[in-house]
Amino acid sequence: SQSRHPAVSLCLDEFYRLYGVAAHHCHNIELSCAFLMRGPKWKKERVLTAKKVEDIGKKLDRCTLGSLISMIKSNLNLTSEDARYFEDILKHRNYLIHKFFGQHSKELNSQDTLLNVQKELRQLVIYLQEASSVLGRCSGIAKLEPTDLKH
């Protein structure tokens, strides 16, 4: 096995740290989207029991971000700008999770190219952190107790 130059190792450490932070924000985005859908799903139930609330939550928590965003777009009264924002979030998240490593794998071996990849990753972190924050605030409207809903 080839040993890496210490500077490259430090850059890689920062790269993986940034990737972890970005992935963490993606997770928070998914949780917020699942939480946003709880209220609309509760409202569709004729009789809402504690068991139903739990089952709906578990089912939503297993959904992919793409399916959650589709549900949000069809259940919440979004402006076209809001709908585009959700699609943009999905595009950024999918790029990070599904394409980022594939597009940058050859660039992880030198300090110069790693620094450029880190710049891109920092921009992704900033975008995803902001999206996570916005959706976290928005999902506060969904923090209704089942007993607060009128049938």
Side-chain angles (χ1 to χ4, degrees):
S1 126
Q2 198 178 10
S3 73
R4 295 188 191 274
H5 188 278
V8 172
S9 290
L10 283 175
C11 285
L12 271 175
D13 288 348
E14 177 63 3
F15 168 81
Y16 287 116
R17 186 192 71 78
L18 288 168
Y19 191 89
V21 171
H24 173 79
H25 291 306
C26 288
H27 175 71
N28 287 343
I29 288 166
E30 287 185 14
L31 286 177
S32 292
C33 287
F35 206 78
L36 274 171
M37 280 309 303
R38 278 168 168 71
K41 292 289 186 181
W42 291 342
K43 287 180 181 178
K44 290 181 180 181
E45 294 297 319
R46 289 175 50 97
V47 177
L48 191 61
T49 64
K51 173 91 170 93
K52 267 290 188 199
V53 168
E54 185 180 341
D55 291 346
I56 288 168
K58 285 180 180 179
K59 187 173 182 181
L60 288 169
D61 289 343
R62 287 191 306 267
C63 290
T64 64
L65 183 59
S67 63
L68 287 168
I69 287 175
S70 291
M71 283 185 243
I72 287 168
K73 287 167 57 178
S74 63
N75 284 277
L76 302 180
N77 190 17
L78 299 180
T79 65
S80 58
E81 185 180 340
D82 290 339
R84 278 192 304 274
Y85 185 57
F86 276 101
E87 289 300 323
D88 197 49
I89 289 169
L90 181 61
K91 183 184 82 171
H92 281 79
R93 180 262 180 209
N94 284 347
Y95 171 68
L96 177 75
I97 301 302
H98 299 295
K99 296 182 179 173
F100 191 82
F101 274 101
Q103 289 187 1
H104 295 294
S105 62
K106 292 180 181 164
E107 299 169 62
L108 303 182
N109 293 319
S110 90
Q111 185 178 5
D112 293 337
T113 54
L114 255 172
L115 291 174
N116 289 331
V117 174
Q118 279 181 16
K119 276 185 203 171
E120 181 185 352
L121 200 44
R122 277 192 188 90
Q123 292 305 310
L124 265 172
V125 166
I126 290 167
Y127 177 86
L128 293 167
Q129 181 177 23
E130 177 63 21
S132 174
S133 178
V134 167
L135 292 177
R137 287 192 303 271
C138 290
S139 67
I141 61 170
K143 290 181 182 172
L144 298 172
E145 292 299 316
T147 54
D148 295 336
L149 300 173
K150 304 288 184 252
H151 293 283

